[in-house]
Structures are given as C-alpha cells and as structure tokens.
Amino acid sequence: MMSFELLELTVEDGIATVVLNRPEQANALSHKMWDEIRQCFILLDSQSDVRVIVLKGSGNNFCAGMDLSVFQQIMESLPQENGRRGEQMRQLILALQDCFVAIDRCRKPVIAAVQGACVGAGLEMVAACDIRLAVSSAKFSIKEIDLGMTADVGSLQRLPYIIGGGLLRELAYTGRELSGTEAERAQLVNHCFDSVDAMYSHAAEMAVTIAQKSPLAIRGSKEMLNYSRDHSLADSLNYIATWNAGMLSQEDLMGSVMAQMKGEKPEYQD
C-alpha cells in the first residue's frame, strides 16, 4: 500500500481510513495534498480488498479549504498574455477538480466525518463523498465568495443534488456558516453528533455494516446512484437492467439466501 506525506492511510478488515494530516494548518490543501488525495482515491479504487472508505481530518478541523499560498503560486505561474493565461488557468482548475472527481468516481462508498471548519474546498471535497457525518459544532461554508471568486471545484455542481436550491444560493452568495446542526436539517449531513468520538464511533459502525455487504452489489449501487444523478430516468432504468443482466452474481445472491435461511451472516469474496 502506498504511503503519503500529508495523508494517513490505513486498511483493516476491508475498511480504509484516510486522514488529512496538516493539523497545524487546519488541513488546508497545499499543492501536494491535492495531488495526494487524487492518488489515494485512485489507489483505493483499484484495491479489491477495500470495501468502504472513511475520510477524516486530524486536529480540530476537517479542512480549512485551499492553502492561500496555492493561490499565490498559481497567479505567479500564469503567463501574461490573456489567451494563454486563460487556457493555463482553465487546465489548472480542471486538474484540481479531478482530485475530487477521484472521490466521486471511486467505486467504494466514502464516509466523511467532519469536525470544526469544513469550508471552501473542504466543503467541495465532502460534497464528492457518499455519506457525510458531522459534530454539531462543525462549520460549513462556501468561502470562495469572500475571496472574490466563484467556487469552482464542485460545490455548486454537486450540492444541488444534496440540499435545497434556495439554501445553496444563500450560502453561495453570502458565504455564511452552516452549523453541523443546521447542516443535518438541510440534509447536507446524514447525522449530527455531540462529540467527535461519537461521530467516529458511528462512522466505524456504518463502515463495518457496508463492508459486510456484497462488494459487487455495493459497487453497482454507487454506479447506479451516480449515473441516475447525471442522466434521465429512462436512461437510468435501462442501465440498471443492462448492469444486472451482466453483473448480478448468482454466487452472492444464493449465498445471501442460504445464510438468511440459516440465520447466519453471509460472507462475500472481495
């Protein structure tokens, strides 16, 4: 398993835990951290023994967004001529987007556990996850508006499928903070907790439950949910018919039925 400088990665019993590890900078995303996130989720997608992923932030905050030094580095690296400057800037933004697309595209469910600040790119990161948990004191915000820019790595594109459009526009236009409690009411997070320990405990229990399911059925479920988000109802129904015609595992299906008849828990191959 690959090691990283700014991420902690462990895998045990089919559960991968990824920890953002720049606590002294509130896990703000440096250039290297962006790239390590992309590499990490591409790696986990390819590992057949990984069935579910828990994403955490070390220290008091989940992620304070992009490290401001990255903005300065980007601006200093751009050419002066307008056309070439625009083209290079576009490629840089697409490259940053791809770091979170790697989370969205990863075939294993990703559970984000959020404490403290989850702002700017931090919010865009968890928007790419499947399930979000938070402590009541967590703070979510689309902070880019306070930097004089439009958020550009996924929150305005993914959050409309998660929270209501009116609330999203309010957050995007004002940059105001959304508490963990309010985030739960808005369905940005699935569950809200009084303490980090309680949140991590729930995340672990959820991960164990998911890891015990057929990994092929879990991959199919994520594939269908993402496809349905991006396609019409008719296309989505046609796709699941084709998917199950080719991917439905008779071994997993019959093993599940036999285990239930015996009152046992089924076991599935990676």
Side-chain angles (χ1 to χ4, degrees):
M1 186 67 71
M2 187 185 299
S3 61
F4 300 93
E5 181 181 332
L6 301 176
L7 303 178
E8 290 182 1
L9 172 61
T10 57
V11 178
E12 184 176 358
D13 297 329
I15 301 169
T17 302
V18 179
V19 183
L20 309 177
N21 194 26
R22 292 185 79 208
E24 65 282 359
Q25 285 88 24
N27 298 315
L29 298 171
S30 64
H31 262 305
K32 188 173 186 63
M33 200 171 192
W34 280 97
D35 192 51
E36 287 193 352
I37 288 169
R38 183 182 62 81
Q39 292 179 41
C40 181
F41 280 90
I42 290 174
L43 171 68
L44 294 176
D45 178 69
S46 71
Q47 298 297 306
S48 64
D49 60 332
V50 173
R51 300 190 177 192
V52 59
I53 302 163
V54 178
L55 177 61
K56 302 178 179 179
S58 60
N60 296 324
N61 297 285
F62 178 80
C63 179
M66 183 185 286
D67 191 316
L68 293 181
S69 66
V70 176
F71 286 110
Q72 182 177 357
Q73 293 167 17
I74 289 175
M75 293 300 110
E76 290 176 351
S77 70
L78 294 175
Q80 293 301 309
E81 195 276 320
N82 286 341
R84 287 164 179 79
R85 186 181 182 89
E87 163 63 6
Q88 186 169 322
M89 185 67 172
R90 179 175 182 271
Q91 292 305 313
L92 285 168
I93 294 170
L94 289 172
L96 293 177
Q97 289 176 356
D98 195 57
C99 298
F100 295 162
V101 169
I103 300 175
D104 195 10
R105 193 168 46 210
C106 180
R107 290 170 294 169
K108 291 70 183 286
V110 182
I111 303 168
V114 177
Q115 82 283 7
C118 181
V119 302
L123 177 54
E124 293 177 300
M125 187 187 334
V126 300
C129 298
D130 296 273
I131 297 166
R132 288 156 295 277
L133 308 175
V135 294
S136 57
S137 59
K139 301 295 183 184
F140 300 87
S141 68
I142 301 176
K143 199 65 175 174
E144 289 89 341
I145 195 65
D146 290 332
L147 298 176
M149 63 176 290
T150 302
D152 58 8
V153 289
S155 60
L156 303 184
Q157 291 70 38
R158 292 190 176 95
L159 288 178
Y161 297 96
I162 301 171
I163 66 176
L167 176 59
L168 175 56
R169 288 172 184 266
E170 178 186 342
L171 299 177
Y173 299 158
T174 68
R176 82 165 177 89
E177 291 184 339
L178 195 72
S179 70
T181 304
E182 189 177 358
E184 182 183 32
R185 292 199 300 268
Q187 299 185 358
L188 174 60
V189 302
N190 296 57
H191 307 286
C192 194
F193 301 88
D194 292 331
S195 70
V196 172
D197 287 343
M199 175 180 64
Y200 285 167
S201 177
H202 187 86
E205 291 174 7
M206 185 181 293
V208 168
T209 298
I210 294 172
Q212 292 173 342
K213 309 300 184 185
S214 161
L216 188 59
I218 290 290
R219 289 186 185 192
S221 296
K222 181 164 182 176
E223 178 79 10
M224 292 309 125
L225 288 166
N226 285 0
Y227 188 90
S228 296
R229 175 193 65 195
D230 303 331
H231 295 79
S232 70
L233 173 61
D235 287 345
S236 300
L237 289 170
N238 184 63
Y239 187 28
I240 182 56
T242 305
W243 178 276
N244 266 355
M247 300 288 195
L248 181 62
S249 168
Q250 184 175 350
E251 178 181 316
D252 286 7
L253 179 62
M254 295 308 298
S256 300
V257 172
M258 296 302 296
Q260 290 184 28
M261 290 175 63
K262 297 177 182 179
E264 301 172 352
K265 285 188 175 182
E267 295 185 2
Y268 305 99
Q269 294 183 47
D270 289 335

